Amino acid sequence: MSGEKRPLRLLGLHGYRQNQRSFHERTGALRKALRGRAELVSVSAPHPVPGPAAEHGAGRSPEPQDAEPRGWWFSRPREETFDALEEAAACKGLDESLDTVARALAEQGPFDGLLGFSQGAALAALVCALQQRGDARFPFEFAILVAGFKSRAAPHSSYYREPIAVPSLHVLGDTDRVIPPGLSRELASHFVGPAVLTHPGGHFVPASASQKRAYLEFLAKFLK
């Protein structure tokens, strides 16, 4: 009987104004780094993003406009825009996005973990909180949250009331101007025993040799 362990399967949740195809392209270095240990399967958010506004409303997105940009929720429902820093009294679209994640887990699974980037990482944290509450739609063991942040939308505040015990790795860039690293550390503080990986770059999914070692060390806990 072979002692070789099967690769882990990660469900990828892209950033705001991205989609499954563009996230696949932008995670090529990561997928290569994890080859043989984990495979990344991404899904598109359900909501088209209208207009040419920059990511997160910060006015300075370092990333080019994607064809068919998508979002997981909007902090301004009427305008259908999103700003990670906005203290939104209302929001729009989260329920449909949770359904999208649940459907991907059911139809394309099983998955061992989630890997979210930016708004996708914020969504993954909400999914972790729901799993902890016993929501059977979300079966997975861990989450990797890259450039994540705590949602400022008032309707989402209840998700952070209890510490989230899902094993997590939080990846943050020291020079990220879209999601400053302090926001990612704030999100990590809502998890029990979070692992934190810092890198010197900005708003992207890092995959250099030193980051590869950190990913593999975290994932090794879940290889069977």
Side-chain angles (χ1 to χ4, degrees), residues 68-169:
E68 302 179 11
R70 317 287 287 190
W72 298 106
W73 74 85
F74 301 110
S75 56
R76 294 186 180 183
R78 182 174 299 179
E79 295 88 348
E80 294 191 336
T81 60
F82 176 74
D83 184 342
L85 301 178
E86 186 171 17
E87 303 277 352
C91 63
K92 174 183 176 182
L94 178 63
D95 288 344
E96 295 88 345
S97 292
L98 293 173
D99 288 343
T100 295
V101 174
R103 188 163 53 250
L105 290 168
E107 297 178 358
Q108 301 181 53
F111 287 97
D112 300 283
L114 304 180
L115 188 150
F117 172 67
S118 199
Q119 194 191 42
L123 174 66
L126 301 180
V127 173
C128 287
L130 285 172
Q131 187 206 80
Q132 179 165 284
R133 294 179 186 178
D135 194 324
R137 296 178 298 165
F138 304 112
F140 58 91
E141 293 186 68
F142 62 87
I144 299 175
L145 309 178
V146 183
F149 55 90
K150 175 182 177 179
S151 173
R152 296 298 198 261
H156 301 169
S157 61
S158 63
Y159 289 93
Y160 308 101
R161 285 178 185 162
E162 297 180 6
I164 302 169
V166 175
S168 60
L169 172 63

Side-chain angles (χ1 to χ4, degrees), residues 5-224:
K5 299 175 179 178
R6 71 164 180 83
L8 298 169
R9 300 188 75 235
L10 309 177
L11 179 62
L13 306 176
H14 61 76
Y16 187 66
R17 301 194 65 80
Q18 298 179 352
N19 57 40
Q20 181 273 333
R21 181 182 300 176
S22 66
F23 193 57
H24 181 82
E25 293 171 354
R26 293 177 182 182
T27 53
L30 176 67
R31 288 183 287 106
K32 182 178 179 181
L34 300 183
R35 189 170 296 159
R37 306 290 185 88
E39 63 173 313
L40 179 62
V41 178
S42 300
V43 62
S44 284
H47 306 295
V49 175
E55 184 173 5
H56 302 307
R60 296 187 306 275
S61 173
E63 300 170 345
Q65 169 85 28
D66 283 346
E68 302 179 11
R70 317 287 287 190
W72 298 106
W73 74 85
F74 301 110
S75 56
R76 294 186 180 183
R78 182 174 299 179
E79 295 88 348
E80 294 191 336
T81 60
F82 176 74
D83 184 342
L85 301 178
E86 186 171 17
E87 303 277 352
C91 63
K92 174 183 176 182
L94 178 63
D95 288 344
E96 295 88 345
S97 292
L98 293 173
D99 288 343
T100 295
V101 174
R103 188 163 53 250
L105 290 168
E107 297 178 358
Q108 301 181 53
F111 287 97
D112 300 283
L114 304 180
L115 188 150
F117 172 67
S118 199
Q119 194 191 42
L123 174 66
L126 301 180
V127 173
C128 287
L130 285 172
Q131 187 206 80
Q132 179 165 284
R133 294 179 186 178
D135 194 324
R137 296 178 298 165
F138 304 112
F140 58 91
E141 293 186 68
F142 62 87
I144 299 175
L145 309 178
V146 183
F149 55 90
K150 175 182 177 179
S151 173
R152 296 298 198 261
H156 301 169
S157 61
S158 63
Y159 289 93
Y160 308 101
R161 285 178 185 162
E162 297 180 6
I164 302 169
V166 175
S168 60
L169 172 63
H170 301 257
V171 184
L172 49 119
D174 288 335
T175 56
D176 191 335
R177 295 183 179 180
V178 178
I179 302 298
L183 297 184
S184 295
R185 292 187 186 279
E186 178 190 29
L187 178 62
S189 73
H190 288 279
F191 283 76
V192 176
V196 177
L197 167 63
T198 61
H199 65 95
H203 196 63
F204 59 87
V205 180
S208 70
S210 60
Q211 288 111 42
K212 175 182 176 180
R213 286 193 298 272
Y215 289 128
L216 294 180
E217 180 180 337
F218 177 77
L219 293 172
K221 306 171 187 175
F222 308 99
L223 285 166
K224 300 180 177 71

